[in-house]
Amino acid sequence: MSQARGLMLNMATVDPAHEDEFNRWYHDEHLPDVLKRFPQITRVRRYRASDGAEPRYLVVYEYDVASEEELNALMSAEHPMRQELWKLYDEAVGGYAQRSRRAFWQVYPEAESE
């Protein structure tokens, strides 16, 4: 396996009244579903803002992909699995959680040769 060079950062603002429900759903349902649909993900970490500011939650997904183009294709709003995940997110927690996301490609250090 090559070195993971792609990242997707997801940020979420959650109504505090639903925070426990959101975290349960995210850990027990959403993350396993994401990992099943995207085998290119090699690592997932979740964080909560320590200063209490919004967005309060950050998820870092590491992707093992060959190119920036492949990463962008997986992140595309046109990707059918991405659309399915958004629909499930909106149905489960969309009434009290808003999300945003960005993809990043590692530029330093450069990937090691295999």
Side-chain angles (χ1 to χ4, degrees), residues 50-108:
S50 61
D51 61 4
E54 300 294 348
R56 187 174 11 246
Y57 288 96
L58 169 69
V59 182
V60 178
Y61 295 97
E62 292 184 15
Y63 281 78
D64 184 6
V65 291
S67 69
E68 196 168 349
E69 292 75 21
E70 184 180 355
L71 177 65
N72 288 334
L74 291 171
M75 300 301 107
S76 170
E78 307 304 316
H79 195 291
M81 282 189 264
R82 185 82 42 220
Q83 291 174 352
E84 290 174 24
L85 284 171
W86 289 344
K87 182 176 186 263
L88 292 170
Y89 186 103
D90 289 342
E91 289 171 354
V93 299
Y96 57 81
Q98 295 78 46
R99 68 185 180 282
S100 62
R101 67 185 174 88
R102 299 264 324 263
F104 292 86
W105 186 250
Q106 181 180 328
V107 295
Y108 184 87

